[in-house]
Amino acid sequence: MMNMLNKENSTVSRAWEATLRKTHAAKKRANSIFGTIALANATATNTTTTTTTTSINAVQDNDKNCTISEAAYFTEKILPNGEYYKGQWCDNFPEGQGKYYWIDGCMYVGEWHKGKTMGRGRFRWPSGATYEGEFKSGYMDGTGTYVGSNGDTYKGQWVMNLKHGNGIEYYANGDWYEGEWRRGLRYGIGKYQWHNKNHYDGEWKNGVIHGNGCFVWINGDQYDGCWEDGMPKGNGTYQLSDGSFYVGYWSKEENEQNGTYHPSESSSNDVEWDPKIVYNQLADCKISPGEKVPILPSQKKLAISYSSNNAEKSRRPSIDGRGSLVLERPFDKMNLWGENDNDFNSFEMSRQLDCEFYGVNPAESNYKFNPLLPLKVPKPGNRQGEKISVGHKNYELMLNLQLGIRHSVGRPAPPTSLDLKASAFDPKEKIWTRFPPEGSKYTPPHQSCEFKWKDYTPVVFRSLRKLFKVDPADYMLSICGNDALRELSSPGKSGSFFYLTDDDIYMIKTMKKAEVKVFLKMLAAYYNHVRSFENSLVIKYYGLHCVKVTGAIQRKVRFIIMGNLLRSEYTIHTRFDLKGSSLGRVTNKPESEINSTTILKDLDLNFIFKLQKAWFHKFCWQINRDCEFLEQVRTMDYSLLVGLHFREISSNGELIPCEKRDPRNESSSLHSRSTSDQLLLDLERQANMVLGANMPARVERTIRKPECELQLVGEQTGEYYKVILSFGIIDILQDYDITKKLEHAYKSIQYDPTSISAVDPKLYSKRFRDFIFKAFTEDT
């Protein structure tokens, strides 16, 4: 029995000696890297703490947020896995000044609070890289300097281990960048200089040159203008060192490049200058990626024992001021940022850091700029339009319209063929009909004033209604039934008035004579396009007519009848009218006045629309075909009208984000009856789905920085909502006439030419597509 006890004691002794040797080796390595650190002993006197250079009060002065408890004391701890801590200790956590050495070679020396690096400190990686500066809850957060193992050096602001704010970085190859950073990338205003002294000063986005800026070559040449993804794109001027310059629209695509070269008097180059030279020069100007930070300080863990607080307090340091060496019991791993700390509200901190990431004030009251504000569904609006009843100023005009439609659609006609002759599209193809109050051989008596009714190209529109599968009886019932039309409260920007049928299926718009001419000119191309592409998103037109009131006050009112794109079995909560331009593209209404009928614009957009893969490809293909058609007929100023129905709304009106699927419950949920029923309903809906009509999808919330209000598509937040989408292309009848050309010339003097709506149809088409393909993406 005695031999067994001796053997057991011998084993324990050898284990203790081995741990001691390992710890001494760890201390030796730590001191060789950082030097000896002297820490305060909370209980020892000045005569016994010969190595003390820092008092608890000094620590409190350095970091008021990390006040050390009076119970803190100095200790040295050797952990079973070979890791080592020396410094202040309280309530089973590092507290105050201390250093920690990990067995992989990483080391931190500096301030602690409740077991987390908090305050000023220095972290060193085994590679030799170091960070010295401020820490917050385990993260490099605040002002600090990182020196990489290859010599890259960054001095500036950090947020959650990422360069964020203002800072300057020097690269090992001689390049340097000074300016704004966001989430670890160059973002905002900044200057980058290459080792060969070429430099760029201007705007950046996601680590690349993007926006407005000036690039200067060492030979004196410079480009000043718009950039996109690291290359000139948009309006800009290239100034050569000899005084010559090239000004115009820049693009890597030759068919988009458009500019003029102006040689100087001293220039020896009399031939046309080729802008490709600039793109070739820039291809050699690579941006240094910089060294990636190795394992992040916030990923390092502490080996914390399960020993009780009382047991810890009983292990007070010896009278000579040195901490006792203890063998810990089995230990737990605790993240430096306090993942399991009840005192740390991770949710609130996450919300605050979101604000830091997006550079907004948490008190910002506009949901477009503040990710902390929950999205709410707009309040319901009243039913659109004023009912046109007896006594309304346009009551007789409505009666005339209904009488004319009933006559046109109900008039006997030969069977309609979809193969039309060219003569059917002739603008001279029209039928005048007189409607006297007492009636005639072809018209019924009525209570309105006498008027004349004109049908433009009746055969074409009869074929269009057949092509769009419109039943003549239903068509007449919607427009000419007992229920009156509704007039929208205010005319559109063009001065046209809009009327809705009672069932919301059709919309009637008054037109100017010039618009009628444009439409008749493009009617053959329109007919062929919608016949060729049954999924075309271009708005559907069903009839073009004119009412001419005779008598003392004569006037002509021209009407076009079209489909209501946002007519849906679902309530439309939000509407967007999207063009891809920024000038004037914002709704000037206070949030309190915005309701479900308000038409929001490009700069109001706070979502990215996510379509399922198959539908996204169909959408992109169809948008390209429709824009090619609109470009061909030389129209512009059209837009994509989008209606959203949010599928999940809380009782207080807040939108409910999509729940993340739990893999642990996925197996059982897939076989639940409710899920199976939903899958069957979704499959049935998809089988009958039409592009642009009642499409299930998701939207991702986006946020704009307050200083980037003209940003068309905001920054993605990862917050998704289930929606039903309806969309289509509207307002296609504006050609690029002399009025629009003058508008473009005038506004180009005052504003960025790429931001205005009135531009050449070819450029308009490209800008529209570029924007739409950013606002709509594939749901992966």
Side-chain angles (χ1 to χ4, degrees):
M1 183 70 177
M2 198 67 171
N3 290 335
M4 290 177 64
L5 288 173
N6 289 336
K7 187 175 180 180
E8 184 176 348
N9 289 335
S10 177
T11 302
V12 172
S13 178
R14 285 197 302 272
W16 182 87
E17 288 173 357
T19 303
L20 186 61
R21 285 195 301 272
K22 188 161 57 173
T23 303
H24 278 282
K27 290 168 64 180
K28 187 175 180 181
R29 290 195 300 273
N31 289 332
S32 68
I33 295 174
F34 287 99
T36 303
I37 181 171
L39 301 163
N41 183 349
T43 58
T45 64
N46 291 337
T47 58
T48 59
T49 56
T50 57
T51 62
T52 300
T53 60
T54 306
S55 68
I56 293 176
N57 291 333
V59 173
Q60 291 171 339
D61 290 338
N62 289 337
D63 187 6
K64 294 180 181 179
N65 295 325
C66 303
T67 305
I68 299 174
S69 166
E70 293 182 1
Y73 60 93
F74 176 83
T75 187
E76 292 181 62
K77 288 187 177 289
I78 303 102
L79 304 173
N81 64 348
E83 294 178 354
Y84 165 76
Y85 174 78
K86 178 181 179 181
Q88 295 293 332
W89 192 267
C90 179
D91 293 334
N92 205 30
F93 295 113
E95 181 75 38
Q97 291 280 352
K99 69 177 176 182
Y100 195 100
Y101 179 81
W102 286 269
I103 55 175
D104 62 0
C106 291
M107 180 176 285
Y108 170 80
V109 57
E111 295 174 324
W112 299 78
H113 181 60
K114 291 187 178 179
K116 296 166 282 187
T117 55
M118 181 82 79
R120 295 199 62 81
R122 189 168 186 244
F123 194 96
R124 183 181 178 103
W125 287 265
S127 64
T130 61
Y131 169 82
E132 186 167 4
E134 294 176 312
F135 287 81
K136 183 178 179 182
S137 299
Y139 293 93
M140 298 182 289
D141 198 304
T143 303
T145 300
Y146 174 82
V147 180
S149 59
N150 66 349
D152 288 356
T153 302
Y154 171 81
K155 298 178 181 179
Q157 295 174 305
W158 299 75
V159 171
M160 293 182 70
N161 295 328
L162 297 176
K163 302 163 192 169
H164 189 90
N166 289 304
I168 183 169
E169 184 160 19
Y170 298 93
Y171 301 97
N173 64 356
D175 296 357
W176 58 268
Y177 169 83
E178 182 175 12
E180 295 177 303
W181 298 77
R182 182 171 176 187
R183 287 185 268 182
L185 299 172
R186 302 169 198 86
Y187 200 119
I189 304 297
K191 179 178 181 179
Y192 190 101
Q193 179 166 302
W194 284 261
H195 61 277
N196 61 5
K197 305 304 180 185
N198 293 343
H199 69 268
Y200 168 81
D201 197 347
E203 293 180 309
W204 297 74
K205 182 178 180 180
N206 295 329
V208 298
I209 298 172
H210 192 105
N212 292 306
C214 181
F215 193 108
V216 180
W217 282 264
I218 191 172
N219 64 0
D221 291 0
Q222 70 174 46
Y223 169 82
D224 192 352
C226 300
W227 298 75
E228 185 176 296
D229 296 329
M231 289 293 172
K233 181 66 179 294
N235 291 298
T237 301
Y238 187 89
Q239 183 92 35
L240 284 81
S241 57
D242 64 3
S244 304
F245 65 94
Y246 177 92
V247 61
Y249 186 87
W250 291 70
S251 175
K252 290 182 71 176
E253 304 295 331
E254 291 187 16
N255 59 338
E256 296 177 4
Q257 182 80 34
N258 185 18
T260 306
Y261 174 65
H262 302 272
S264 66
E265 294 181 1
S266 60
S267 173
S268 59
N269 185 14
D270 295 329
V271 298
E272 191 68 21
W273 185 78
D274 189 355
K276 283 185 181 178
I277 297 172
V278 178
Y279 292 97
N280 294 335
Q281 290 174 340
L282 290 172
D284 297 328
C285 296
K286 304 293 185 184
I287 304 293
S288 177
E291 182 184 68
K292 288 188 177 180
V293 179
I295 184 171
L296 299 173
S298 55
Q299 294 174 314
K300 301 302 294 178
K301 298 180 180 181
L302 300 183
I304 300 298
S305 75
Y306 283 113
S307 55
S308 67
N309 291 343
N310 291 335
E312 274 301 319
K313 291 179 181 178
S314 67
R315 289 200 278 273
R316 288 291 181 180
S318 59
I319 196 166
D320 62 358
R322 292 174 297 179
S324 58
L325 208 57
V326 296
L327 282 173
E328 304 279 2
R329 290 163 56 186
F331 56 87
D332 184 22
K333 289 286 187 179
M334 184 193 76
N335 290 335
L336 289 183
W337 61 88
E339 184 177 5
N340 299 317
D341 190 351
N342 292 331
D343 295 335
F344 181 67
N345 191 331
S346 59
F347 176 72
E348 284 301 320
M349 182 172 182
S350 174
R351 285 162 61 93
Q352 294 298 323
L353 288 171
D354 278 346
C355 277
E356 291 187 59
F357 271 137
Y358 295 111
V360 300
N361 184 346
E364 169 64 56
S365 60
N366 192 328
Y367 67 90
K368 290 193 292 185
F369 304 131
N370 193 344
L372 303 188
L373 295 178
L375 291 179
K376 290 191 174 184
V377 66
K379 60 185 179 183
N382 297 326
R383 194 180 188 197
Q384 286 183 289
E386 176 189 359
K387 188 175 181 180
I388 303 176
S389 54
V390 178
H392 192 282
K393 62 179 181 178
N394 288 324
Y395 179 69
E396 286 193 348
L397 184 62
M398 181 192 73
L399 293 180
N400 298 345
L401 173 68
Q402 292 177 325
L403 286 166
I405 293 292
R406 191 179 291 115
H407 171 74
S408 297
V409 177
R411 183 174 57 231
T416 305
S417 170
L418 297 181
D419 297 318
L420 301 180
K421 297 178 180 179
S423 59
F425 299 96
D426 190 334
K428 296 178 181 178
E429 280 291 312
K430 49 196 172 187
I431 299 176
W432 277 104
T433 306
R434 179 171 164 268
F435 281 77
E438 65 276 9
S440 68
K441 183 179 179 181
Y442 304 103
T443 61
H446 58 86
Q447 298 178 346
S448 182
C449 60
E450 182 174 336
F451 68 94
K452 286 185 177 181
W453 175 260
K454 183 197 284 188
D455 266 333
Y456 292 93
T457 58
V459 175
V460 176
F461 284 104
R462 194 179 299 119
S463 299
L464 280 172
R465 292 193 291 270
K466 181 178 180 181
L467 182 66
F468 296 143
K469 298 179 175 59
V470 174
D471 182 78
D474 292 338
Y475 183 69
M476 283 194 293
L477 188 62
S478 289
I479 301 175
C480 313
N482 293 328
D483 295 314
L485 301 177
R486 304 196 314 276
E487 182 180 75
L488 297 188
S489 57
S490 61
K493 187 177 179 181
S494 64
S496 300
F497 285 84
F498 291 85
Y499 303 90
L500 282 170
T501 57
D502 188 69
D503 55 13
D504 291 329
I505 296 178
Y506 301 104
M507 183 175 284
I508 302 167
K509 175 188 175 184
T510 63
M511 296 182 72
K512 297 177 182 177
K513 186 176 182 180
E515 290 179 305
V516 172
K517 287 183 177 180
V518 170
F519 187 40
L520 291 175
K521 185 179 177 180
M522 63 179 282
L523 185 56
Y526 172 82
Y527 180 85
N528 292 330
H529 179 75
V530 295
R531 187 182 178 189
S532 301
F533 304 104
E534 64 176 353
N535 284 326
S536 174
L537 297 173
V538 175
I539 191 165
K540 294 178 172 62
Y541 291 115
Y542 302 102
L544 181 62
H545 314 282
C546 175
V547 169
K548 182 180 179 181
V549 179
T550 59
I553 302 177
Q554 296 191 6
R555 63 168 178 156
K556 283 185 179 180
V557 183
R558 300 166 183 86
F559 297 94
I560 191 166
I561 302 174
M562 52 193 175
N564 180 11
L565 284 174
L566 299 188
R567 198 256 183 182
S568 171
E569 60 189 277
Y570 301 95
T571 302
I572 300 296
H573 296 124
T574 304
R575 302 156 194 256
F576 290 102
D577 181 271
L578 306 174
K579 290 186 177 182
S581 57
S582 58
L583 184 61
R585 299 296 296 161
V586 65
T587 303
N588 294 318
K589 277 187 177 182
E591 190 177 349
S592 59
E593 294 182 16
I594 293 176
N595 58 40
S596 60
T597 63
T598 304
I599 304 292
L600 303 175
K601 300 179 182 177
D602 301 65
L603 296 180
D604 301 307
L605 182 63
N606 58 332
F607 296 109
I608 289 178
F609 307 100
K610 301 279 187 175
L611 302 181
Q612 296 173 9
K613 182 176 181 179
W615 284 106
F616 176 69
H617 290 165
K618 289 181 181 179
F619 171 79
C620 293
W621 189 87
Q622 192 59 57
I623 284 285
N624 281 322
R625 302 294 80 73
D626 289 341
C627 285
E628 287 167 2
F629 155 69
L630 296 170
E631 191 178 323
Q632 171 197 343
V633 297
R634 300 287 295 168
T635 63
M636 38 76 67
D637 219 19
Y638 45 85
S639 56
L640 187 75
L641 185 64
V642 183
L644 284 81
H645 166 82
F646 294 98
R647 298 173 69 178
E648 296 179 352
I649 304 171
S650 67
S651 56
N652 64 354
E654 291 184 4
L655 303 184
I656 302 174
C658 302
E659 294 183 4
K660 293 182 179 178
R661 181 176 296 174
D662 187 348
R664 294 170 297 181
N665 300 328
E666 188 168 324
S667 175
S668 59
S669 66
L670 283 176
H671 297 289
S672 67
R673 181 176 181 83
S674 61
T675 305
S676 300
D677 291 345
Q678 185 61 46
L679 286 172
L680 289 172
L681 286 172
D682 289 343
L683 289 172
E684 184 179 353
R685 183 185 288 116
Q686 287 200 26
N688 299 319
M689 202 186 319
V690 177
L691 184 66
N694 298 333
M695 295 183 62
R698 295 198 306 166
V699 293
E700 181 179 4
R701 184 182 183 183
T702 60
I703 290 293
R704 287 184 176 86
K705 292 177 68 174
E707 64 269 24
C708 298
E709 289 190 57
L710 298 183
Q711 183 182 11
L712 287 177
V713 179
E715 301 298 322
Q716 297 167 248
T717 64
E719 192 172 298
Y720 295 89
Y721 301 89
K722 292 180 181 178
V723 296
I724 301 293
L725 287 180
S726 297
F727 50 82
I729 298 174
I730 62 172
D731 296 337
I732 68 168
L733 302 182
Q734 177 61 60
D735 67 336
Y736 194 52
D737 57 12
I738 187 64
T739 305
K740 288 295 179 181
K741 290 177 181 177
L742 289 173
E743 179 186 343
H744 173 79
Y746 174 71
K747 289 185 176 179
S748 294
I749 299 171
Q750 298 176 294
Y751 309 102
D752 178 2
T754 61
S755 70
I756 61 182
S757 181
V759 294
D760 178 82
K762 187 174 182 180
L763 178 59
Y764 191 97
S765 170
K766 184 180 185 309
R767 184 180 66 185
F768 176 78
R769 278 184 274 185
D770 289 345
F771 168 62
I772 294 300
F773 293 152
K774 290 177 183 175
F776 283 76
T777 62
E778 180 183 333
D779 193 348
T780 55

